[in-house]
Amino acid sequence: MERGTMEGLQKSNFKTSICKYMKVFKFGGASVKDAEGVKNAATIIEKQLDGRLVVVVSAMGKTTNALEKLLQLHLSRDEAVFKQLEEIKSYHFGVCNDLFVNKNNPVFQELHNTFVEAEWQIEDEPIGTKGFEYDQLIGLGELLSTRIVSAYLDSKEIENVWVDARDVVRTDNRYQSAKVDWEETEKLIQERFSNLSERIAITQGFIGSSSENFTTTLGREGSDFSAAIFASSLNATEVVIWKDVEGMLNADPKHYQSTVKLENISYKEAVELAYYGASVIHPKTVKPLENKQIPLHVKSFKNPTASGSLINGDSSRDRDIPSYIHKENQILVSFSSRDFDFIDEHKLAEIFELFSNIGLSVNILQNSAISFTVVFDNDPSKIDELRKLVSQKYKVTYNEGATLITIRHFTDQIITDLLKDRLVLLEQRTRSTARFVLAEVL
Ligand code: ASP
Ligand code: MG
């Protein structure tokens, strides 16, 4: 048989197997924060393996925050940058020392090489915009964590291949929140994966690359979205996000004593919850999965055989349990026109363009004839910029330290209890959702 034909045959056979058995797992930072975590992830991978598996891993523990600090020091040319890098290094090498008895394991050299690139970057003057420098440096966390997970699986003789997400996730060059070029990404992922002989591929969440081959990032907490990108491009059969909670809960245990796990909700419900600020999954994760009807499980890495939560096309249980979502540290900003003019569509368009340019996203808004009220996450430098830009035309007033509470599938009783003795700055209700901006921290 001609070589070309045989390859063609293998490829197409493999492609059917991609469609049938491909699963995507995502492990977040908390799940791989130390040697125990990595071992546990490996056990989950080994035990749950049937068919093929793509494993998307984010940076270990709080590495991304540590890298953001590193970037700040680099941008301000602060000598402490080197000490900060040392800390990140010793954390990762520490985990490796715990995991690998054999100090000749190639992972030590791989980590070293990865760090050398970061060293070059921080030794030099920053060459690009802050966003550019950010993306070249911050993705380091995922490169390191995936090297470690992959090497650990190797050491347990679990055959796997390390895939550089930057070779296959193509984005534009809007650094720090790059937009995925879906067509190109799907093509690259399919090409790359149809040539793999290993059953398990380990790859990074959060990062991609631009057409000029610079690293880009998809926005904080973007690894869930990465899992969805891989799943969608490979027509995976399911995605599992492994978390430190038992699934999607109806409230944050930080604020509520008795929380309930949502067994099964629809994509639509999940998108709404994520949009309002439920932090369990990244809001962008759901759309690609919904579009291909790929089920998403959220499970606990501490209790891997428990059922977790299932997100799919079934909406029959969406209204069963009320969900509570808190957004803290909110600022309510009211604009009123100085000349008693109406705030019409034209003016609103102008104001919204400013928000978008400054990078402020609106959490809730309300308008009247001559005033307009909007609530943001409080980011003082952005709010300051906004105030400077609008103060000629509008009188601007604020309330800081507010909390935005959203309740999906509320009852009257829930609202009565919530609002007792509290000052409400703004409220909105639809049939399914009630939202309150309260003038205090709850
Ligand atoms: N490591 C990145 C972050 O902490 C991405 C992620 O964890 O999803 O934001
Ligand atoms: Mg994370």
Side-chain angles (χ1 to χ4, degrees), residues 49 67 111 174 228 233-234 289 300 304 325 336 360 395 397 399 436 441:
L49 183 64
L67 286 164
L111 255 55
R174 259 177 275 184
S233 302
L234 292 164
L289 301 179
S300 162
I325 301 145
S336 29
L360 279 165
K395 187 168 160 277
T397 52
N399 275 83
F436 303 95
V441 180

Side-chain angles (χ1 to χ4, degrees), residues 26 56 85 91 100 131 139 161 186 190 196 205 264 280 287 290 299 306 320 328 344 349 411 414 435:
K26 183 257 170 172
V56 173
L85 186 65
Y91 168 48
F100 306 104
V161 58
E186 201 170 298
Q190 284 184 1
L196 296 184
N264 181 191
V280 177
K287 176 183 155 48
E290 190 278 337
K299 292 190 181 194
D320 287 2
E328 288 161 350
D344 59 10
T411 60
I414 289 175
R435 311 188 76 197

Side-chain angles (χ1 to χ4, degrees), residues 207-226:
I207 58 172
S209 75
S210 64
S211 53
E212 303 96 22
N213 265 322
F214 288 113
T215 308
T216 53
T217 62
L218 305 173
R220 283 302 306 264
E221 306 299 331
S223 297
D224 292 349
F225 180 40
S226 300

Side-chain angles (χ1 to χ4, degrees), residues 243-249 259-261 298-300 306-309:
K243 306 271 312 179
D244 55 359
V245 285
E246 55 175 333
M248 282 194 78
L249 304 179
T259 56
V260 183
K261 189 185 73 176
V298 179
K299 292 190 181 194
S300 162
S307 63
S309 296

